[in-house]
Amino acid sequence: CIPRDVSVVGFDDIALCAFTYPPLTSVAQDKAQMARLGVEMAIALAKGEPVPENVLLPGKLVLRSSTDTILA
């Protein structure tokens, strides 16, 4: 039984996560920041400029009923 026996966590925190049963805990990301960075990197590549191979962007855990409250 969720969340008593097993916790379920999603990624990207799509709008549907809040409306499932039970509502799905998920990791949210700043999509506008990802888009800005992607465009900046694409422009840099088009100009022949170097871009980083890996970029780490922060995420935020959005707690909902699919996880035990002990995670909070």
Side-chain angles (χ1 to χ4, degrees):
C1 185
I2 297 173
R4 187 184 63 227
D5 299 323
V6 64
S7 290
V8 177
V9 178
F11 194 79
D12 279 345
D13 196 36
I14 61 172
L16 184 61
C17 291
F19 301 105
T20 61
Y21 182 79
L24 181 64
T25 293
S26 188
V27 176
Q29 295 179 296
D30 185 340
K31 292 171 183 66
Q33 181 184 19
M34 284 192 294
R36 261 190 315 277
L37 184 58
V39 169
E40 289 170 6
M41 291 174 71
I43 292 169
L45 284 171
K47 292 179 178 180
E49 299 171 356
V51 296
E53 282 188 35
N54 297 301
V55 178
L56 181 63
L57 299 175
K60 177 184 171 190
L61 184 63
V62 180
L63 289 170
R64 295 191 182 95
S65 301
S66 69
T67 53
D68 196 327
T69 55
I70 198 163
L71 291 176

